[in-house]
Amino acid sequence: MSPAMVMKSEESYEDNDEREVHHHQYQKGVKQLVENGRIHTLPQRYIFPASDRPIITTTEEQDDDSSFVGNKKIDLPIIDFSELIGSNRLQALRSLAHACQHYGFFQLVNHGISEEVIRRMKDVMGRFFNQAYEERAKHMTSDMKAAVRYGTSFSQNKDSVFCWRDFLKLLCHPLSDYLPHWPQSPMDLREVAATYAEETNNLFLRLMEAILESLGIKEEEEEDDNNNNIMKKLEEGGSQMMVANLYPPCPEPDLTLGMPPHSDYGLLTLLLQDEEVEGLQIQFQGKWLTVKPISNAFVVNVGDHLEIFSNGRYKSVLHRVLVNEIKSRTSVASLHSLPFNCTVKPSLKLIDDANPKRYKDTDFHTFLAYVSSREPKGKDFLHSRKLTSFTTH
């Protein structure tokens, strides 16, 4: 689409009431909106301001102007987990450090989680979204602390512009606390999702051990770091939340987003992309670039907590999700961090005269208070935790 078409007057949508549905229908989610009637144009509530919309271009337009990044791809660093636990660990750790410092993202292969566990997780989440709305709606709530939360956009009660996305969020750790609250339909959801949660959490713990080593922090040294014995806290009871996302086909994908630019809250996120439908984009060197799915790989990204813990050495990176006109897209993210009652602060091992402390201490309650009081944008929360002497990267 040309720039002129992207800048289409928003008033033309506002003047066409027939394009709108009643507000309560938005609360029910995108899938229900689409299923209730054939939508040929995007309802006004989902139209992003022109400055925030994706720029989708043809190959010819990309060649004419390098600022058009539409569907340009990025080759993320590939980290082979088998090398991280093998004889080539030192080289793999150097590759991991480079990925976390310069990209904030990497693709993880040979991670040890079987294709069957991954296939079953994708399948059961797809079947959850394909249930009747009445079944899905049993778990609809705006309570961000809920053990199970089904919803749409980010917050269907607060967002000024809705995202073209429905989600199911499951708190996971410890499983014994949360499993009884998970959906009972489909019948195998609890069993399949619990297996997946346990395996991804174990993988996360091994990755965090490597992350610490890549930062030059040895476990025995961390024991002496009285402000951040992070591995002990994670192994005793770190937090984990799984989010299954559904992005239905969209009639005007150049006017909206599946998720707006944001960074993730925790330490690391392990994402299963849809292997057939692209959509994830990251901001790299000032441009939006599409991450190409790799079969049976996790896309792993640095979260805000890891940026704080590493005192800014490793960066959480803005990412967003595009939607498309033809195909539905699904993904499953597993977000990991410290226990909800823990304080996150820069490691003492990474602070010295040349690298003074760059972030305020923070905790989950501070985060909830922040996002409950405003519509989150970009990396606003992380920026609010920066010490005033270090307000830029």
Side-chain angles (χ1 to χ4, degrees):
M1 173 171 280
S2 68
M5 294 178 70
V6 170
M7 296 297 289
K8 186 189 296 184
S9 170
E10 295 175 11
E11 284 75 14
S12 63
Y13 293 96
E14 294 172 356
D15 292 340
N16 288 295
D17 292 337
E18 68 274 11
R19 296 190 178 196
E20 298 293 346
V21 295
H22 293 298
H23 177 73
H24 75 275
Q25 288 185 279
Y26 297 130
Q27 311 288 331
K28 296 180 178 181
V30 178
K31 191 171 190 292
Q32 181 71 3
L33 185 68
V34 171
E35 289 177 345
N36 273 352
R38 300 188 64 181
I39 297 178
H40 299 287
T41 54
L42 197 65
Q44 173 67 31
R45 191 66 185 270
Y46 294 90
I47 298 174
F48 276 67
S51 59
D52 296 337
R53 299 173 196 166
I55 299 177
I56 302 174
T57 66
T58 65
T59 302
E60 291 77 12
E61 286 175 320
Q62 290 177 11
D63 291 340
D64 291 340
D65 188 336
S66 61
S67 66
F68 290 119
V69 297
N71 294 320
K72 285 186 176 180
K73 308 294 192 299
I74 183 170
D75 291 323
L76 291 178
I78 295 177
I79 303 298
D80 188 328
F81 185 73
S82 66
E83 293 187 352
L84 275 176
I85 58 176
S87 58
N88 199 29
R89 184 173 176 83
L90 288 179
Q91 178 57 47
L93 286 171
R94 285 192 286 268
S95 298
L96 179 63
H98 182 268
C100 292
Q101 190 166 0
H102 297 284
Y103 291 83
F105 272 79
F106 56 88
Q107 301 258 24
L108 187 70
V109 299
N110 296 326
H111 43 70
I113 298 181
S114 72
E115 292 184 31
E116 179 65 9
V117 168
I118 289 173
R119 183 198 65 77
R120 293 185 71 202
M121 183 62 175
K122 289 180 175 179
D123 174 70
V124 78
M125 289 304 162
R127 285 186 281 122
F128 172 84
F129 285 117
N130 282 333
Q131 296 178 116
Y133 169 76
E134 289 71 23
E135 188 64 42
R136 290 178 275 133
K138 292 178 181 178
H139 310 287
M140 184 168 278
T141 175
S142 59
D143 181 5
M144 291 187 178
K145 297 180 181 179
V148 179
R149 183 178 171 217
Y150 174 69
T152 188
S153 192
F154 175 77
S155 172
Q156 62 258 43
N157 295 326
K158 187 176 63 177
D159 292 351
S160 57
V161 179
F162 277 12
C163 307
W164 198 258
R165 166 209 185 210
D166 292 350
F167 63 80
L168 174 68
K169 294 184 178 181
L170 303 174
L171 293 183
C172 304
H173 196 67
L175 270 175
S176 57
D177 287 355
Y178 294 118
L179 190 60
H181 301 283
W182 288 4
Q184 292 181 290
S185 180
M187 291 181 60
D188 57 342
L189 185 147
R190 290 184 179 181
E191 178 233 331
V192 170
T195 298
Y196 182 83
E198 288 180 319
E199 296 213 17
T200 49
N201 192 58
N202 288 335
L203 178 59
F204 159 72
L205 291 173
R206 303 292 75 79
L207 270 177
M208 276 304 301
E209 289 175 348
I211 290 283
L212 289 177
E213 194 171 344
S214 74
L215 287 166
I217 300 174
K218 298 179 181 179
E219 287 188 53
E220 59 269 22
E221 292 178 338
E222 198 204 357
E223 292 289 334
D224 298 328
D225 187 345
N226 58 16
N227 80 339
N228 254 353
N229 191 345
I230 193 168
M231 284 309 304
K232 184 177 181 181
K233 293 175 181 176
L234 292 174
E235 288 169 351
E236 289 179 349
S239 61
Q240 179 183 10
M241 180 173 69
M242 293 192 302
V243 185
N245 299 298
L246 173 69
Y247 307 97
C250 178
E252 295 178 290
D254 52 341
L255 299 179
T256 192
L257 288 166
M259 288 190 74
H262 67 284
S263 60
D264 290 347
Y265 169 72
L267 288 167
L268 290 176
T269 298
L270 281 63
L271 174 71
L272 279 181
Q273 281 220 78
D274 191 313
E275 292 185 7
E276 298 180 359
V277 185
E278 296 176 349
L280 174 65
Q281 288 194 322
I282 74 169
Q283 192 172 73
F284 183 70
Q285 296 179 349
K287 296 181 178 180
W288 286 107
L289 303 176
T290 300
V291 176
K292 186 175 181 180
I294 296 178
S295 179
N296 200 38
F298 285 101
V299 176
V300 182
N301 64 279
V302 172
D304 291 348
H305 281 177
L306 185 50
E307 180 167 333
I308 292 172
F309 175 81
S310 68
N311 201 32
R313 185 181 300 183
Y314 291 170
K315 304 289 194 232
S316 66
V317 171
L318 287 177
H319 50 289
R320 68 183 186 181
V321 178
L322 305 184
V323 293
N324 73 84
E325 194 169 0
I326 300 171
K327 294 183 178 181
S328 179
R329 179 177 179 272
T330 58
S331 67
V332 181
S334 185
L335 297 93
H336 301 262
S337 195
L338 291 162
F340 290 129
N341 61 352
C342 282
T343 299
V344 182
K345 57 186 74 173
S347 171
L348 293 177
K349 302 297 181 184
L350 302 175
I351 297 172
D352 55 32
D353 290 342
N355 297 287
K357 184 177 179 181
R358 298 171 184 268
Y359 299 88
K360 305 172 188 175
D361 299 350
T362 191
D363 56 31
F364 187 63
H365 298 293
T366 304
F367 172 73
L368 280 183
Y370 187 91
V371 297
S372 298
S373 64
R374 70 204 75 200
E375 195 170 341
K377 293 183 179 180
K379 294 178 65 171
D380 283 357
F381 174 71
L382 183 66
H383 291 158
S384 75
R385 307 314 300 162
K386 285 189 174 183
L387 295 171
T388 55
S389 299
F390 303 99
T391 54
T392 59
H393 288 305

